Amino acid sequence: MNTKELSLPYILIITLLLLLASHSNSYNQNHTPTNPKQIPAVYVFGDSLVDSGNNNYLPIESYAKFPPYGIDFGGKPTGRYTNGKTVVDYLAIHLGLPFIPPYLSLTKMQRNKIKTGINFASAGSGILSETNNNHSLTLDKQIKLFEKVIKNNLPNLFDDKEKLERHLSESLFVVSTGLNDHFTATGNFQGSRKFDSCLLKEFSLRIQKIYGLGVRRFFVNNIAPAGCFPSMAAKSRPRGECNEKINRAISFYNNHLPNVLQKLQSQLPNFTFIHANLYEHLIELRTTGYKYGISEIWKPCCPNSISGDLKCYPYNATCPNRNTHIFFDVHPSQITNHIYARHCFIEKRICRASRCCTNAN
Ligand SMILES: *[C@@H]1O[C@H](CO)[C@@H](O)[C@H](O)[C@H]1NC(C)=O
Ligand SMILES: *[C@@H]1O[C@H](CO)[C@@H](O)[C@H](O)[C@H]1NC(C)=O
Ligand SMILES: *[C@@H]1O[C@H](CO)[C@@H](O)[C@H](O)[C@H]1NC(C)=O
């Protein structure tokens, strides 16, 4: 390999992964991380997989406000759509950063002081601004809020424009989106090649918009296999199997996502990305989960019953051992996020850093 092909951003991404790899694989709170200087902050965009509480502040019914959500996050709900930590929480721990607070929870004074990242993600949001626009912060709104932070808050923390630009270009931007666009307002799945091609275009436009604000490092996960979600698997024959029609439709999007990112990299100077294969992770856990103590691959942990509509309502009982279920409700449980983080950051099996320098061949 020509060493000229290794540009600085590429080396930094690799450094990030190596730093992550050098940590012990325990993620408990006593774990004392070193702070790799290379990643000063993590900013988060997207949906319920990574929302850390923004929807609690919207005038909507956010069920993650109530127990048993957060039951393994110090015992109280935070607005996270799982029993404990999200993959972004594990990322923050590994980078030696504090948990990334939800934008809407912060006062103006707090916004002026935070140098380690802000979470704009909102459950229900998608790529398109039509997706759940009355019930979530759409991705466009999330980007607008981030622009406000760049304009009004971050300048208070940096002496000059160059330092601010450097902060933005060195920070990692998590983008987890695309699933909710595949469901209509009435909850029916939608997906076709035409629809997904359009969706990928819209996704690309939004990534370019974020890049235009000075961002250079992206962490993007693909779409989860919705055909395996509890509500879908319960209706499959045999029960518990994944709905392959839905998974195939999602795979079309997922198969093209890396190309979209690669293309952006070839067009945008210094653009780098880590692509995380969430789809593969969840499919794989169905067969390998037993190695980690997972015995229930499709039933949700909450509610602890598969009668009814499989939604975890406030104060519903959870399954007795939450570490045995892939799904907490329709969302991955903490153990699933934990294994995801381990595979991604330590074993680097489901995450790939972008290769660089397309002009070198
Ligand atoms: C969303 O809100 C707009 C304006 O407030 C309203 O016109 C529209 O009907 C709402 N859409 C849905 C699906 O509730
Ligand atoms: C790309 O990175 C180099 C080296 O850090 C920097 O000089 C240049 O301004 C960057 N260009 C863009 C468009 O980010
Ligand atoms: C969950 O809560 C809902 C609403 O309170 C209730 O109707 C339902 O029976 C509960 N389900 C379980 C399994 O506890």
Side-chain angles (χ1 to χ4, degrees):
M1 186 190 220
N2 184 344
T3 48
K4 277 190 193 134
E5 288 179 20
L6 294 171
S7 78
L8 187 60
Y10 178 61
I11 290 167
L12 289 175
I13 291 265
I14 291 300
T15 310
L16 158 68
L17 290 173
L18 291 177
L19 278 163
L20 292 169
S22 67
H23 283 289
S24 80
N25 59 6
S26 89
Y27 283 86
N28 59 45
Q29 267 123 349
N30 307 328
H31 159 97
T32 41
T34 53
N35 188 349
K37 297 274 190 302
Q38 288 82 357
I39 308 287
V42 174
Y43 293 88
V44 187
F45 298 92
D47 53 27
S48 54
L49 270 179
V50 293
D51 186 348
S52 61
N54 281 311
N55 276 24
N56 282 358
Y57 297 87
L58 297 179
I60 56 166
E61 280 177 45
S62 166
Y63 53 90
K65 237 187 245 187
F66 301 97
Y69 290 91
I71 188 168
D72 297 308
F73 198 100
K76 60 179 189 350
T78 60
R80 284 170 176 78
Y81 287 76
T82 182
N83 54 310
K85 298 188 193 76
T86 67
V87 70
V88 169
D89 293 323
Y90 288 115
L91 178 61
I93 291 171
H94 266 261
L95 292 174
L97 299 171
F99 289 139
I100 316 300
Y103 175 86
L104 294 181
S105 75
L106 301 171
T107 63
K108 192 172 168 238
M109 212 162 79
Q110 288 170 322
R111 282 171 198 162
N112 285 339
K113 283 191 180 150
I114 289 196
K115 237 181 179 169
T116 50
I118 296 179
N119 187 326
F120 301 94
S122 170
S125 72
I127 295 166
L128 306 175
S129 48
E130 296 93 284
T131 301
N132 286 322
N133 59 356
N134 291 3
H135 309 283
S136 65
L137 298 173
T138 63
L139 188 52
D140 288 333
K141 280 188 209 155
Q142 295 174 33
I143 296 170
K144 282 223 171 73
L145 291 174
F146 175 53
E147 279 186 83
K148 273 174 71 176
V149 166
I150 295 178
K151 190 160 166 265
N152 303 330
N153 308 115
L154 287 176
N156 296 304
L157 291 162
F158 300 94
D159 311 336
D160 56 52
K161 206 158 163 267
E162 279 76 57
K163 288 205 177 105
L164 171 54
E165 279 170 5
R166 202 168 142 190
H167 171 81
L168 293 174
S169 68
E170 289 179 345
S171 297
L172 190 62
F173 285 72
V174 174
V175 185
S176 165
T177 187
L179 178 68
N180 292 317
D181 300 291
H182 285 89
F183 289 91
T184 63
T186 50
N188 292 317
F189 183 81
Q190 58 180 346
S192 66
R193 280 163 185 238
K194 205 171 146 201
F195 176 74
D196 283 295
S197 299
C198 169
L199 213 49
L200 285 161
K201 252 183 230 149
E202 295 291 326
F203 171 78
S204 176
L205 287 173
R206 281 155 184 88
I207 296 291
Q208 288 172 60
K209 170 112 202 190
I210 300 172
Y211 172 92
L213 299 171
V215 173
R216 296 294 177 262
R217 295 173 170 179
F218 291 85
F219 180 103
V220 177
N221 65 254
N222 64 7
I223 302 182
C228 307
F229 286 1
S231 53
M232 303 289 174
K235 285 184 233 141
S236 281
R237 293 287 169 269
R239 209 175 197 194
E241 291 298 303
C242 301
N243 180 322
E244 290 305 332
K245 212 175 135 204
I246 289 180
N247 282 357
R248 264 198 303 277
I250 284 173
S251 293
F252 178 82
Y253 178 97
N254 282 347
N255 291 342
H256 287 79
L257 180 63
N259 305 340
V260 169
L261 292 166
Q262 209 71 64
K263 190 168 169 203
L264 285 170
Q265 185 178 37
S266 70
Q267 294 170 341
L268 306 172
N270 301 345
F271 179 98
T272 55
F273 66 89
I274 295 173
H275 171 266
N277 198 341
L278 174 64
Y279 182 97
E280 199 50 44
H281 169 62
L282 290 173
I283 293 286
E284 196 184 282
L285 266 196
R286 290 173 59 89
T287 48
T288 61
Y290 72 92
K291 291 188 203 162
Y292 313 97
I294 287 173
S295 52
E296 183 48 69
I297 62 171
W298 70 272
K299 289 177 196 160
C301 170
C302 183
N304 184 28
S305 141
I306 53 160
S307 53
D309 56 9
L310 300 188
K311 275 208 184 83
C312 182
Y313 290 95
Y315 306 103
N316 267 168
T318 71
C319 57
N321 183 350
R322 293 175 290 276
N323 289 333
T324 56
H325 285 57
I326 290 182
F327 293 100
F328 180 61
D329 54 357
V330 64
H331 301 93
S333 58
Q334 170 174 264
I335 183 85
T336 301
N337 293 332
H338 186 164
I339 300 166
Y340 176 37
R342 240 167 67 186
H343 285 179
C344 177
F345 307 137
I346 297 172
E347 297 171 23
K348 287 174 269 169
R349 291 202 286 116
I350 56 164
C351 292
R352 286 203 195 287
S354 52
R355 298 222 85 95
C356 204
C357 295
T358 44
N359 60 353
N361 43 23

